[in-house]
Amino acid sequence: MIHAAEPSSQDFKRYHGRALRSRLPSPVSAGTMGPNVYRLQWSAQLCAAAAMFASGLAALPSVSTLTGAPALLSTLFFAGLQVCAGMLFYFGARRRVVTWPSTAAVVLIMLCYTSLAPIWAPASEISPPWLSFLLVLAAGLTAMTWGAIASLAVIGWAVLCLGIYVLQMPLGYPLQSEIIQSGVDCLYAILLAIAVSLTLRAADHADTDYSTAIAHATALRRSRTQSDEQERLDRLIHDNVMAALLDASRAPGTVSKRTRELAMRALSVLEFEEKRATGTATTYVHTLMDDLLDALTPWRSRVRFNVLVPDIRPMGHTRAFMPSDTAQALIHAVTEAVSNSARHSGVATTFVTMDGGACPPTALNPFGFYLSFEVLDRGKGFQMRSMDSRRLGVRVSIIGNVENAGGRVDVVSAPHRGTRIQILWPSDAHPSD
């Protein structure tokens, strides 16, 4: 007998800017923020990289006409900026969120603004035309990583540097048009910072709504599971306890042998249910194959089932057993994998393999055996990293269930190359030893 375990609760996190900034030197995991915010972050990295490359190409003619310190400064600035753009493009193409390249780009742009008064003004050079566009870019990057207030601080620092620069320039220079253009650029930068903040907030709210919906769905599933569990318990009591009582009430004279057998069976059922309620119920591994076949009954016409090692313990040893909740989690994961194959693979056959054997004792399973399952089809396949975040069959029902039970799942799939899902329990087992 195997108890149907409740679905494990999953942690769907909202976006937190502090958590993002605390991971400044290293990539930020997708679990640190919601799926929409995470997608927005790496998409913004690609857009920023493209803008930096374009600004570098557009600035080449004006940089080539400079001389002295401004020429050296511009060359070093664009070299560092292109390195940041390359890193942003690399991580964005891999759909990974890393904050240090964008932060480094903002620092470079601010250093360039800081150098206007001490370097450009003594050389009597008009401020570089490409710097105004990069101010807008710096405002957007800062708002994306550090927030709207930090973005306004960046814009304020740029305005201060421009003011000091203008005060040190000779009065004969035509600075009026440049001042007007700088004001327009600052206005664009403020509008971009506001737009980025509002977009980020909208994505955050979308993730919150998604998390709430998932929580409600999980609670509803748990409620249905509890109802099904109560119905199953009522059925067990009716089929065993009531059968013994009815047989005893109808049999004349002393209690018959059949009544005693029914009573013993009812007591064993109640004892198992008590163990199951306290988490001490176990399932013999040699019955796991039959339980898995029963669970796969709705897909009997498409499943090809193989058992490589039906007996785990050598002859003469006690039979291997495992917690019933763990056995149910493994069966549920295999069943869900077959169900996904039936719905999405586009082929008529799914191959299921159950394997197992003895191995050195591990911390998760000191009894010294392992179990492995494989679900294989040669259908459409998919890319795990591009799978819709709303599809929870693989992430929750398979990977989440198995990992919560102490196992490991490897998903190997590619478009038009089929799908192979391998489940190993326990995760620290070494089958080759």
Side-chain angles (χ1 to χ4, degrees), residues 66 68-78 106-128 130-131 134 157-158 160-166 168-169 178:
L66 297 175
L72 178 61
L73 177 66
S74 299
T75 302
L76 294 177
F77 167 73
F78 273 105
V106 173
V107 171
L108 283 174
I109 295 173
M110 292 300 98
L111 287 177
C112 200
Y113 267 93
T114 305
S115 67
L116 285 176
I119 294 181
W120 290 77
S124 300
E125 292 280 357
I126 298 296
S127 64
W130 36 263
L131 200 56
L134 292 178
W157 178 256
L160 178 62
C161 293
L162 283 172
I164 297 175
Y165 164 73
V166 169
Q168 292 187 4
M169 290 297 292
E178 185 173 348

Side-chain angles (χ1 to χ4, degrees), residues 6 50 52 61 163 255 276 297 324 329 331-332 366 376 412:
E6 294 181 2
M52 290 180 191
V255 178
R276 181 201 58 76
T297 299
S324 295
I331 289 177
H332 181 74
L376 171 68
V412 180

Side-chain angles (χ1 to χ4, degrees), residues 113 116 125-136 139 154-167 169 174-191:
Y113 267 93
L116 285 176
E125 292 280 357
I126 298 296
S127 64
W130 36 263
L131 200 56
S132 59
F133 168 75
L134 292 178
L135 172 62
V136 178
V154 166
I155 297 172
W157 178 256
V159 171
L160 178 62
C161 293
L162 283 172
I164 297 175
Y165 164 73
V166 169
L167 291 177
M169 290 297 292
L175 296 177
Q176 182 178 1
S177 60
E178 185 173 348
I179 294 175
I180 295 175
Q181 182 62 41
S182 298
V184 173
D185 294 334
C186 291
L187 178 62
Y188 286 156
I190 294 173
L191 293 177

